[in-house]
Amino acid sequence: MVGSAIVRALERGGVKAVCRSRSELDLARQDEVEEFFATENPDQVFMAAARVGGIQANNEFPADFIAENLLIQTNIITSAFKAGVKRLLFLGSSCIYPKFADQPMREEALLTGPLEPTNEPYAIAKIAGIKMCESYRRQYGCDFRSLMPTNLYGPNDNFDAVTSHVLPALLRRFHEASARGTDRVTVWGSGRPKREFLHVDDLAVACVHFMGLPAEQFWSAVDARCAHVNIGTGTDISIADLARLIARITQFEGAIGFDSSKPDGTPRKLLDVSRATSMGWSATIDLQSGIESVYQWMLEEGPLV
Ligand code: GFB
C-alpha cells in the first residue's frame, strides 16, 4: 500500500522509481540486499517495506513482527551506508510512543514510558530503525531521515478479516453485511479507543516532500537525537464513530455490536503534527472522502472483485 502510493507520487513529479517485488528480492537476506544496492546504485531510498498488520496479527505473531522488521531495516540501512546512498527515508509508526503518552504526542515523547503490549515487539523494531538512522548521521554524517506516520489506509491495503487494520476490516465487514442484508455487524473491543487515520496518498506526498528538503533545512528543524517527524492529520475519531461512518458509506442499516473479548489496544494515539507543519507539509484528504474513495477502489479493483 505505502510503496505503490510513493511510486505514484514520484511518477506525478516525473520520477521513475527503481522497485523490486517481494518475489524478486528478499529483504531479509543481507547478500541479496547488498547485491541490489551494488547493481542499482540508487542515490535516494524510500523504506516502505515492512511486516505490518492490525492488533490481532501483532498480538499473535510477535516473533515474526520483531524479527522480520529488524532484518529488513538493518539490511537496507547498512547496505545503503556501504553503497554511499545520499539520502534515505525510514518509515516508523505512531505505536513507537508510550501507551499513556500525553496527547497529542510530540516527537519528544519517544522512550518516556512503557509501550502498548499488543504491539511492543513491532514498536521496538521501529524504534531501533529510528535510532539506527540517527546513529549513522551522528557517526558518519549520513542523511538518513525518519517519518512516523499514524494509522494508514488506502488502496492496496490488506483487507483480510483477521490480520488487517481496523479501517479495511470494517469496510469489508460492513460492505458484506450490507450486500447480504445482515442485520448486525460486530466491531472488536469496546469501540472507545480513538485513532487518527491518514490516507496513504497524503503520506506519499509527505515522503516526497521530506525527501526533497535540502539537508540544511531538514537538519536545522530537528534535534539530532530526536530527529523523526510525526505525519498525521491532527484529528482522531473513536472506533465506534468510525464504525458508524463506515456503516453510512456502505449503506448498512442494521445494528452495530461490540465484542469485548477482543483487545482495545492503546486508548488513544493522536500525533502532534506541528513539526511537520512547520516544515511545510500537512494532510489534505479528509476522512470521509478518503474512505469513500477507498470504498470505490475496493468495489472496482479491490479484494472483492
Ligand atoms: O487497526 P488496529 O488493528 O490497530 O485496531 P492499532 C485499532 C482499534 O480498532 C483497536 C479496534 O481498538 C481494535 O480493537 N477494532 C475494531 C478492530 N474492530 C476491528 C477489526 O475488525 N479489526 C481490527 N484490526 N481492529 C496497530 C498496531 O495497532 O496499528 C501496529 O498493532 C501498528 O503495530 C498499527 O502500529 C498502525 O492502532 O490498535
mmCIF file of all heavy atoms in Angstrom, residues 53-56 58-59 65 93-96 118-119 122-123 149-152 161-167 169-170 173 186-190 193 195 197 239 262-266 269, ligand 1:
data_model
loop_
_atom_site.group_PDB
_atom_site.id
_atom_site.type_symbol
_atom_site.label_atom_id
_atom_site.label_comp_id
_atom_site.label_asym_id
_atom_site.label_seq_id
_atom_site.Cartn_x
_atom_site.Cartn_y
_atom_site.Cartn_z
ATOM 1 N N GLY A 53 0.615 -5.252 10.288
ATOM 2 C CA GLY A 53 -0.684 -5.882 10.479
ATOM 3 C C GLY A 53 -1.437 -5.188 11.600
ATOM 4 O O GLY A 53 -0.893 -4.319 12.287
ATOM 5 N N GLY A 54 -2.675 -5.579 11.788
ATOM 6 C CA GLY A 54 -3.504 -4.990 12.821
ATOM 7 C C GLY A 54 -3.207 -5.556 14.203
ATOM 8 O O GLY A 54 -2.255 -6.319 14.383
ATOM 9 N N ILE A 55 -4.048 -5.194 15.141
ATOM 10 C CA ILE A 55 -3.820 -5.509 16.552
ATOM 11 C C ILE A 55 -3.703 -7.020 16.789
ATOM 12 O O ILE A 55 -2.838 -7.482 17.536
ATOM 13 C CB ILE A 55 -4.934 -4.855 17.412
ATOM 14 C CG1 ILE A 55 -4.586 -4.879 18.892
ATOM 15 C CG2 ILE A 55 -6.298 -5.477 17.161
ATOM 16 C CD1 ILE A 55 -5.457 -3.927 19.722
ATOM 17 N N GLN A 56 -4.544 -7.806 16.105
ATOM 18 C CA GLN A 56 -4.525 -9.253 16.342
ATOM 19 C C GLN A 56 -3.291 -9.913 15.731
ATOM 20 O O GLN A 56 -2.675 -10.782 16.335
ATOM 21 C CB GLN A 56 -5.802 -9.895 15.778
ATOM 22 C CG GLN A 56 -5.831 -11.387 16.022
ATOM 23 C CD GLN A 56 -7.252 -11.901 16.157
ATOM 24 O OE1 GLN A 56 -8.127 -11.216 16.698
ATOM 25 N NE2 GLN A 56 -7.505 -13.089 15.669
ATOM 26 N N ASN A 58 -0.393 -8.494 15.238
ATOM 27 C CA ASN A 58 0.739 -8.123 16.095
ATOM 28 C C ASN A 58 0.785 -8.987 17.351
ATOM 29 O O ASN A 58 1.852 -9.403 17.797
ATOM 30 C CB ASN A 58 0.621 -6.658 16.521
ATOM 31 C CG ASN A 58 1.299 -5.715 15.550
ATOM 32 O OD1 ASN A 58 2.465 -5.357 15.719
ATOM 33 N ND2 ASN A 58 0.593 -5.324 14.504
ATOM 34 N N ASN A 59 -0.395 -9.247 17.905
ATOM 35 C CA ASN A 59 -0.511 -9.999 19.151
ATOM 36 C C ASN A 59 -0.183 -11.485 18.959
ATOM 37 O O ASN A 59 0.402 -12.117 19.823
ATOM 38 C CB ASN A 59 -1.955 -9.865 19.645
ATOM 39 C CG ASN A 59 -2.029 -9.690 21.130
ATOM 40 O OD1 ASN A 59 -1.006 -9.591 21.804
ATOM 41 N ND2 ASN A 59 -3.233 -9.653 21.651
ATOM 42 N N PHE A 65 6.979 -10.257 13.730
ATOM 43 C CA PHE A 65 6.963 -8.795 13.590
ATOM 44 C C PHE A 65 8.292 -8.178 14.008
ATOM 45 O O PHE A 65 8.808 -7.286 13.337
ATOM 46 C CB PHE A 65 5.797 -8.172 14.377
ATOM 47 C CG PHE A 65 4.518 -8.175 13.596
ATOM 48 C CD1 PHE A 65 3.762 -9.334 13.477
ATOM 49 C CD2 PHE A 65 4.083 -7.049 12.928
ATOM 50 C CE1 PHE A 65 2.590 -9.361 12.725
ATOM 51 C CE2 PHE A 65 2.921 -7.056 12.170
ATOM 52 C CZ PHE A 65 2.165 -8.208 12.067
ATOM 53 N N SER A 93 6.130 4.266 12.902
ATOM 54 C CA SER A 93 4.705 4.115 13.200
ATOM 55 C C SER A 93 4.408 4.859 14.501
ATOM 56 O O SER A 93 5.275 4.972 15.374
ATOM 57 C CB SER A 93 4.400 2.635 13.376
ATOM 58 O OG SER A 93 3.174 2.467 14.042
ATOM 59 N N SER A 94 3.161 5.323 14.649
ATOM 60 C CA SER A 94 2.821 6.053 15.879
ATOM 61 C C SER A 94 2.804 5.141 17.105
ATOM 62 O O SER A 94 2.735 5.623 18.231
ATOM 63 C CB SER A 94 1.471 6.761 15.721
ATOM 64 O OG SER A 94 0.455 5.823 15.463
ATOM 65 N N CYS A 95 2.884 3.806 16.909
ATOM 66 C CA CYS A 95 2.895 2.906 18.076
ATOM 67 C C CYS A 95 4.259 2.878 18.775
ATOM 68 O O CYS A 95 4.424 2.189 19.777
ATOM 69 C CB CYS A 95 2.456 1.498 17.701
ATOM 70 S SG CYS A 95 3.616 0.658 16.641
ATOM 71 N N ILE A 96 5.223 3.668 18.278
ATOM 72 C CA ILE A 96 6.532 3.773 18.975
ATOM 73 C C ILE A 96 6.405 4.526 20.293
ATOM 74 O O ILE A 96 7.281 4.436 21.143
ATOM 75 C CB ILE A 96 7.584 4.511 18.110
ATOM 76 C CG1 ILE A 96 7.084 5.917 17.762
ATOM 77 C CG2 ILE A 96 7.913 3.701 16.861
ATOM 78 C CD1 ILE A 96 8.164 6.861 17.289
ATOM 79 N N THR A 118 0.291 -5.121 23.069
ATOM 80 C CA THR A 118 -0.098 -5.867 21.855
ATOM 81 C C THR A 118 0.867 -5.639 20.685
ATOM 82 O O THR A 118 0.977 -6.486 19.803
ATOM 83 C CB THR A 118 -1.528 -5.505 21.370
ATOM 84 O OG1 THR A 118 -1.612 -4.077 21.216
ATOM 85 C CG2 THR A 118 -2.589 -5.990 22.326
ATOM 86 N N ASN A 119 1.528 -4.472 20.665
ATOM 87 C CA ASN A 119 2.455 -4.259 19.530
ATOM 88 C C ASN A 119 3.864 -3.868 19.958
ATOM 89 O O ASN A 119 4.619 -3.309 19.163
ATOM 90 C CB ASN A 119 1.878 -3.266 18.512
ATOM 91 C CG ASN A 119 1.534 -1.939 19.146
ATOM 92 O OD1 ASN A 119 2.217 -1.494 20.055
ATOM 93 N ND2 ASN A 119 0.496 -1.314 18.675
ATOM 94 N N TYR A 122 6.810 -5.049 17.541
ATOM 95 C CA TYR A 122 6.849 -4.250 16.308
ATOM 96 C C TYR A 122 7.384 -2.845 16.612
ATOM 97 O O TYR A 122 8.235 -2.317 15.883
ATOM 98 C CB TYR A 122 5.430 -4.174 15.746
ATOM 99 C CG TYR A 122 5.255 -3.285 14.541
ATOM 100 C CD1 TYR A 122 5.650 -3.715 13.280
ATOM 101 C CD2 TYR A 122 4.676 -2.023 14.654
ATOM 102 C CE1 TYR A 122 5.476 -2.905 12.165
ATOM 103 C CE2 TYR A 122 4.495 -1.207 13.554
ATOM 104 C CZ TYR A 122 4.889 -1.646 12.310
ATOM 105 O OH TYR A 122 4.714 -0.834 11.208
ATOM 106 N N ALA A 123 6.902 -2.254 17.710
ATOM 107 C CA ALA A 123 7.327 -0.892 18.071
ATOM 108 C C ALA A 123 8.824 -0.847 18.369
ATOM 109 O O ALA A 123 9.517 0.092 17.967
ATOM 110 C CB ALA A 123 6.522 -0.399 19.275
ATOM 111 N N PRO A 149 4.426 7.863 10.580
ATOM 112 C CA PRO A 149 3.025 8.004 10.181
ATOM 113 C C PRO A 149 2.065 7.440 11.228
ATOM 114 O O PRO A 149 2.388 6.477 11.926
ATOM 115 C CB PRO A 149 2.921 7.176 8.897
ATOM 116 C CG PRO A 149 4.264 6.597 8.641
ATOM 117 C CD PRO A 149 5.117 6.805 9.839
ATOM 118 N N THR A 150 0.893 8.037 11.293
ATOM 119 C CA THR A 150 -0.178 7.499 12.120
ATOM 120 C C THR A 150 -0.813 6.307 11.390
ATOM 121 O O THR A 150 -0.293 5.847 10.382
ATOM 122 C CB THR A 150 -1.213 8.620 12.386
ATOM 123 O OG1 THR A 150 -2.159 8.133 13.310
ATOM 124 C CG2 THR A 150 -1.920 9.062 11.105
ATOM 125 N N ASN A 151 -1.960 5.782 11.889
ATOM 126 C CA ASN A 151 -2.623 4.642 11.226
ATOM 127 C C ASN A 151 -2.992 5.021 9.791
ATOM 128 O O ASN A 151 -3.651 6.039 9.576
ATOM 129 C CB ASN A 151 -3.894 4.246 11.989
ATOM 130 C CG ASN A 151 -3.582 3.569 13.315
ATOM 131 O OD1 ASN A 151 -2.630 3.938 14.000
ATOM 132 N ND2 ASN A 151 -4.374 2.585 13.692
ATOM 133 N N LEU A 152 -2.592 4.181 8.847
ATOM 134 C CA LEU A 152 -2.787 4.496 7.427
ATOM 135 C C LEU A 152 -3.920 3.680 6.828
ATOM 136 O O LEU A 152 -4.233 2.590 7.320
ATOM 137 C CB LEU A 152 -1.502 4.175 6.655
ATOM 138 C CG LEU A 152 -0.252 4.927 7.104
ATOM 139 C CD1 LEU A 152 0.992 4.310 6.458
ATOM 140 C CD2 LEU A 152 -0.358 6.403 6.735
ATOM 141 N N ALA A 161 -9.812 -10.494 6.998
ATOM 142 C CA ALA A 161 -10.681 -10.306 8.170
ATOM 143 C C ALA A 161 -9.912 -10.400 9.491
ATOM 144 O O ALA A 161 -10.288 -9.765 10.472
ATOM 145 C CB ALA A 161 -11.795 -11.344 8.142
ATOM 146 N N VAL A 162 -8.844 -11.173 9.530
ATOM 147 C CA VAL A 162 -8.142 -11.407 10.802
ATOM 148 C C VAL A 162 -6.885 -10.552 10.960
ATOM 149 O O VAL A 162 -6.641 -9.984 12.021
ATOM 150 C CB VAL A 162 -7.775 -12.908 10.930
ATOM 151 C CG1 VAL A 162 -7.028 -13.175 12.234
ATOM 152 C CG2 VAL A 162 -9.030 -13.767 10.848
ATOM 153 N N THR A 163 -6.093 -10.423 9.893
ATOM 154 C CA THR A 163 -4.782 -9.771 10.052
ATOM 155 C C THR A 163 -4.777 -8.279 9.708
ATOM 156 O O THR A 163 -3.773 -7.598 9.913
ATOM 157 C CB THR A 163 -3.717 -10.458 9.165
ATOM 158 O OG1 THR A 163 -4.139 -10.357 7.796
ATOM 159 C CG2 THR A 163 -3.532 -11.915 9.546
ATOM 160 N N SER A 164 -5.881 -7.752 9.194
ATOM 161 C CA SER A 164 -5.883 -6.355 8.729
ATOM 162 C C SER A 164 -6.016 -5.363 9.876
ATOM 163 O O SER A 164 -6.286 -5.730 11.016
ATOM 164 C CB SER A 164 -7.046 -6.148 7.761
ATOM 165 O OG SER A 164 -8.259 -6.356 8.441
ATOM 166 N N HIS A 165 -5.856 -4.093 9.548
ATOM 167 C CA HIS A 165 -6.144 -3.000 10.478
ATOM 168 C C HIS A 165 -7.651 -2.716 10.493
ATOM 169 O O HIS A 165 -8.386 -3.203 9.634
ATOM 170 C CB HIS A 165 -5.385 -1.737 10.069
ATOM 171 C CG HIS A 165 -3.911 -1.826 10.284
ATOM 172 N ND1 HIS A 165 -3.037 -2.203 9.296
ATOM 173 C CD2 HIS A 165 -3.156 -1.623 11.384
ATOM 174 C CE1 HIS A 165 -1.805 -2.209 9.774
ATOM 175 N NE2 HIS A 165 -1.842 -1.869 11.045
ATOM 176 N N VAL A 166 -8.060 -1.894 11.453
ATOM 177 C CA VAL A 166 -9.498 -1.708 11.673
ATOM 178 C C VAL A 166 -10.228 -1.132 10.459
ATOM 179 O O VAL A 166 -11.333 -1.592 10.122
ATOM 180 C CB VAL A 166 -9.763 -0.855 12.941
ATOM 181 C CG1 VAL A 166 -9.172 0.539 12.848
ATOM 182 C CG2 VAL A 166 -11.247 -0.767 13.234
ATOM 183 N N LEU A 167 -9.653 -0.145 9.791
ATOM 184 C CA LEU A 167 -10.432 0.528 8.741
ATOM 185 C C LEU A 167 -10.752 -0.393 7.560
ATOM 186 O O LEU A 167 -11.938 -0.548 7.215
ATOM 187 C CB LEU A 167 -9.712 1.814 8.310
ATOM 188 C CG LEU A 167 -10.589 2.829 7.600
ATOM 189 C CD1 LEU A 167 -10.095 4.249 7.824
ATOM 190 C CD2 LEU A 167 -10.724 2.551 6.134
ATOM 191 N N ALA A 169 -10.750 -3.619 7.649
ATOM 192 C CA ALA A 169 -11.555 -4.732 8.182
ATOM 193 C C ALA A 169 -13.032 -4.338 8.242
ATOM 194 O O ALA A 169 -13.912 -5.093 7.821
ATOM 195 C CB ALA A 169 -11.058 -5.119 9.578
ATOM 196 N N LEU A 170 -13.302 -3.126 8.765
ATOM 197 C CA LEU A 170 -14.703 -2.710 8.903
ATOM 198 C C LEU A 170 -15.330 -2.381 7.544
ATOM 199 O O LEU A 170 -16.511 -2.665 7.317
ATOM 200 C CB LEU A 170 -14.816 -1.507 9.846
ATOM 201 C CG LEU A 170 -14.447 -1.780 11.311
ATOM 202 C CD1 LEU A 170 -14.774 -0.570 12.180
ATOM 203 C CD2 LEU A 170 -15.147 -3.029 11.867
ATOM 204 N N ARG A 173 -16.295 -5.704 6.235
ATOM 205 C CA ARG A 173 -17.364 -6.363 7.002
ATOM 206 C C ARG A 173 -18.706 -5.673 6.795
ATOM 207 O O ARG A 173 -19.734 -6.311 6.617
ATOM 208 C CB ARG A 173 -16.987 -6.368 8.499
ATOM 209 C CG ARG A 173 -17.727 -7.448 9.273
ATOM 210 C CD ARG A 173 -17.204 -7.563 10.695
ATOM 211 N NE ARG A 173 -15.780 -7.763 10.731
ATOM 212 C CZ ARG A 173 -14.969 -7.285 11.697
ATOM 213 N NH1 ARG A 173 -15.453 -6.596 12.702
ATOM 214 N NH2 ARG A 173 -13.675 -7.514 11.664
ATOM 215 N N THR A 186 -20.461 -6.897 14.029
ATOM 216 C CA THR A 186 -19.727 -6.817 15.299
ATOM 217 C C THR A 186 -18.364 -6.172 15.082
ATOM 218 O O THR A 186 -17.622 -6.522 14.159
ATOM 219 C CB THR A 186 -19.558 -8.223 15.909
ATOM 220 O OG1 THR A 186 -20.865 -8.775 16.071
ATOM 221 C CG2 THR A 186 -18.859 -8.168 17.247
ATOM 222 N N VAL A 187 -18.067 -5.236 15.973
ATOM 223 C CA VAL A 187 -16.803 -4.492 15.954
ATOM 224 C C VAL A 187 -15.978 -4.966 17.151
ATOM 225 O O VAL A 187 -16.530 -5.164 18.238
ATOM 226 C CB VAL A 187 -17.116 -2.972 16.067
ATOM 227 C CG1 VAL A 187 -15.852 -2.156 16.222
ATOM 228 C CG2 VAL A 187 -17.923 -2.514 14.857
ATOM 229 N N TRP A 188 -14.667 -5.172 16.958
ATOM 230 C CA TRP A 188 -13.830 -5.665 18.060
ATOM 231 C C TRP A 188 -13.666 -4.608 19.153
ATOM 232 O O TRP A 188 -13.572 -3.414 18.867
ATOM 233 C CB TRP A 188 -12.425 -6.002 17.568
ATOM 234 C CG TRP A 188 -12.343 -7.111 16.573
ATOM 235 C CD1 TRP A 188 -13.356 -7.895 16.106
ATOM 236 C CD2 TRP A 188 -11.153 -7.552 15.900
ATOM 237 N NE1 TRP A 188 -12.871 -8.795 15.196
ATOM 238 C CE2 TRP A 188 -11.532 -8.614 15.045
ATOM 239 C CE3 TRP A 188 -9.807 -7.162 15.933
ATOM 240 C CZ2 TRP A 188 -10.606 -9.275 14.238
ATOM 241 C CZ3 TRP A 188 -8.890 -7.819 15.137
ATOM 242 C CH2 TRP A 188 -9.284 -8.871 14.301
ATOM 243 N N GLY A 189 -13.551 -5.088 20.383
ATOM 244 C CA GLY A 189 -13.238 -4.210 21.512
ATOM 245 C C GLY A 189 -14.449 -3.417 21.979
ATOM 246 O O GLY A 189 -15.597 -3.736 21.657
ATOM 247 N N SER A 190 -14.169 -2.340 22.753
ATOM 248 C CA SER A 190 -15.259 -1.559 23.355
ATOM 249 C C SER A 190 -15.786 -0.469 22.428
ATOM 250 O O SER A 190 -16.842 0.118 22.695
ATOM 251 C CB SER A 190 -14.734 -0.890 24.637
ATOM 252 O OG SER A 190 -13.736 0.056 24.280
ATOM 253 N N PRO A 193 -11.630 3.192 22.086
ATOM 254 C CA PRO A 193 -10.313 3.722 21.699
ATOM 255 C C PRO A 193 -10.448 4.725 20.556
ATOM 256 O O PRO A 193 -11.378 4.623 19.743
ATOM 257 C CB PRO A 193 -9.540 2.480 21.230
ATOM 258 C CG PRO A 193 -10.224 1.338 21.843
ATOM 259 C CD PRO A 193 -11.673 1.723 21.990
ATOM 260 N N ARG A 195 -8.483 6.648 17.300
ATOM 261 C CA ARG A 195 -7.382 6.524 16.362
ATOM 262 C C ARG A 195 -7.417 7.680 15.376
ATOM 263 O O ARG A 195 -8.479 8.235 15.076
ATOM 264 C CB ARG A 195 -7.465 5.206 15.569
ATOM 265 C CG ARG A 195 -7.260 3.938 16.393
ATOM 266 C CD ARG A 195 -5.825 3.778 16.857
ATOM 267 N NE ARG A 195 -5.619 2.530 17.579
ATOM 268 C CZ ARG A 195 -5.803 2.368 18.891
ATOM 269 N NH1 ARG A 195 -6.206 3.387 19.643
ATOM 270 N NH2 ARG A 195 -5.576 1.198 19.454
ATOM 271 N N PHE A 197 -6.488 8.600 11.455
ATOM 272 C CA PHE A 197 -6.314 7.882 10.185
ATOM 273 C C PHE A 197 -5.844 8.828 9.091
ATOM 274 O O PHE A 197 -6.443 9.890 8.883
ATOM 275 C CB PHE A 197 -7.635 7.226 9.756
ATOM 276 C CG PHE A 197 -8.101 6.168 10.720
ATOM 277 C CD1 PHE A 197 -9.056 6.454 11.693
ATOM 278 C CD2 PHE A 197 -7.564 4.879 10.675
ATOM 279 C CE1 PHE A 197 -9.476 5.489 12.587
ATOM 280 C CE2 PHE A 197 -7.978 3.907 11.567
ATOM 281 C CZ PHE A 197 -8.938 4.212 12.534
ATOM 282 N N ILE A 239 -13.412 4.440 17.663
ATOM 283 C CA ILE A 239 -13.688 3.287 16.797
ATOM 284 C C ILE A 239 -15.203 3.155 16.581
ATOM 285 O O ILE A 239 -15.653 2.818 15.487
ATOM 286 C CB ILE A 239 -13.076 1.995 17.401
ATOM 287 C CG1 ILE A 239 -11.539 2.121 17.488
ATOM 288 C CG2 ILE A 239 -13.483 0.766 16.580
ATOM 289 C CD1 ILE A 239 -10.817 2.377 16.178
ATOM 290 N N LYS A 262 -12.237 -9.031 22.474
ATOM 291 C CA LYS A 262 -11.095 -8.620 21.639
ATOM 292 C C LYS A 262 -10.409 -7.405 22.289
ATOM 293 O O LYS A 262 -11.074 -6.561 22.901
ATOM 294 C CB LYS A 262 -11.590 -8.226 20.239
ATOM 295 C CG LYS A 262 -12.127 -9.401 19.445
ATOM 296 C CD LYS A 262 -10.980 -10.155 18.792
ATOM 297 C CE LYS A 262 -11.431 -10.993 17.624
ATOM 298 N NZ LYS A 262 -11.950 -12.302 17.983
ATOM 299 N N PRO A 263 -9.076 -7.293 22.117
ATOM 300 C CA PRO A 263 -8.359 -6.203 22.795
ATOM 301 C C PRO A 263 -8.632 -4.824 22.196
ATOM 302 O O PRO A 263 -8.870 -4.708 20.992
ATOM 303 C CB PRO A 263 -6.883 -6.577 22.598
ATOM 304 C CG PRO A 263 -6.858 -7.453 21.400
ATOM 305 C CD PRO A 263 -8.183 -8.165 21.338
ATOM 306 N N ASP A 264 -8.605 -3.806 23.070
ATOM 307 C CA ASP A 264 -8.748 -2.411 22.634
ATOM 308 C C ASP A 264 -7.413 -1.833 22.170
ATOM 309 O O ASP A 264 -7.369 -0.934 21.343
ATOM 310 C CB ASP A 264 -9.238 -1.541 23.809
ATOM 311 C CG ASP A 264 -10.753 -1.455 23.859
ATOM 312 O OD1 ASP A 264 -11.419 -1.869 22.880
ATOM 313 O OD2 ASP A 264 -11.274 -0.968 24.885
ATOM 314 N N GLY A 265 -6.323 -2.315 22.771
ATOM 315 C CA GLY A 265 -5.012 -1.720 22.479
ATOM 316 C C GLY A 265 -4.874 -0.364 23.141
ATOM 317 O O GLY A 265 -5.526 -0.073 24.151
ATOM 318 N N THR A 266 -4.040 0.479 22.561
ATOM 319 C CA THR A 266 -3.798 1.824 23.110
ATOM 320 C C THR A 266 -5.114 2.604 23.182
ATOM 321 O O THR A 266 -5.878 2.585 22.212
ATOM 322 C CB THR A 266 -2.825 2.590 22.177
ATOM 323 O OG1 THR A 266 -1.709 1.755 21.924
ATOM 324 C CG2 THR A 266 -2.355 3.880 22.781
ATOM 325 N N LYS A 269 -4.017 7.491 20.359
ATOM 326 C CA LYS A 269 -2.671 7.845 19.864
ATOM 327 C C LYS A 269 -2.768 8.900 18.775
ATOM 328 O O LYS A 269 -2.668 8.605 17.598
ATOM 329 C CB LYS A 269 -1.862 6.620 19.428
ATOM 330 C CG LYS A 269 -2.576 5.590 18.584
ATOM 331 C CD LYS A 269 -1.587 4.476 18.189
ATOM 332 C CE LYS A 269 -2.300 3.375 17.461
ATOM 333 N NZ LYS A 269 -1.413 2.360 16.933
HETATM 334 O O1 GFB B 1 -6.271 -1.011 13.393
HETATM 335 P P1 GFB B 1 -5.924 -1.794 14.599
HETATM 336 O O2 GFB B 1 -5.765 -3.260 14.399
HETATM 337 O O3 GFB B 1 -4.578 -1.204 15.145
HETATM 338 O O4 GFB B 1 -7.050 -1.589 15.718
HETATM 339 P P2 GFB B 1 -3.939 -0.464 16.415
HETATM 340 C C1 GFB B 1 -7.480 -0.335 16.130
HETATM 341 C C2 GFB B 1 -8.656 -0.458 17.067
HETATM 342 O O5 GFB B 1 -9.785 -0.900 16.325
HETATM 343 C C3 GFB B 1 -8.487 -1.439 18.226
HETATM 344 C C4 GFB B 1 -10.436 -1.971 17.007
HETATM 345 O O6 GFB B 1 -9.064 -0.908 19.392
HETATM 346 C C5 GFB B 1 -9.277 -2.658 17.746
HETATM 347 O O7 GFB B 1 -9.774 -3.480 18.804
HETATM 348 N N1 GFB B 1 -11.137 -2.817 16.040
HETATM 349 C C6 GFB B 1 -12.482 -2.952 15.967
HETATM 350 C C7 GFB B 1 -10.606 -3.617 15.087
HETATM 351 N N2 GFB B 1 -12.835 -3.826 15.024
HETATM 352 C C8 GFB B 1 -11.680 -4.250 14.451
HETATM 353 C C9 GFB B 1 -11.414 -5.177 13.399
HETATM 354 O O8 GFB B 1 -12.278 -5.795 12.805
HETATM 355 N N3 GFB B 1 -10.088 -5.342 13.066
HETATM 356 C C10 GFB B 1 -9.084 -4.666 13.705
HETATM 357 N N4 GFB B 1 -7.807 -4.868 13.310
HETATM 358 N N5 GFB B 1 -9.329 -3.819 14.734
HETATM 359 C C11 GFB B 1 -1.840 -1.380 15.239
HETATM 360 C C12 GFB B 1 -0.550 -1.960 15.747
HETATM 361 O O9 GFB B 1 -2.492 -1.035 16.389
HETATM 362 O O10 GFB B 1 -1.680 -0.202 14.489
HETATM 363 C C13 GFB B 1 0.522 -1.923 14.748
HETATM 364 O O11 GFB B 1 -0.802 -3.234 16.285
HETATM 365 C C14 GFB B 1 0.624 -0.611 14.008
HETATM 366 O O12 GFB B 1 1.727 -2.221 15.371
HETATM 367 C C15 GFB B 1 -0.724 -0.163 13.512
HETATM 368 O O13 GFB B 1 1.181 0.369 14.827
HETATM 369 C C16 GFB B 1 -0.696 1.173 12.841
HETATM 370 O O14 GFB B 1 -3.953 1.001 16.151
HETATM 371 O O15 GFB B 1 -4.525 -0.892 17.702
#
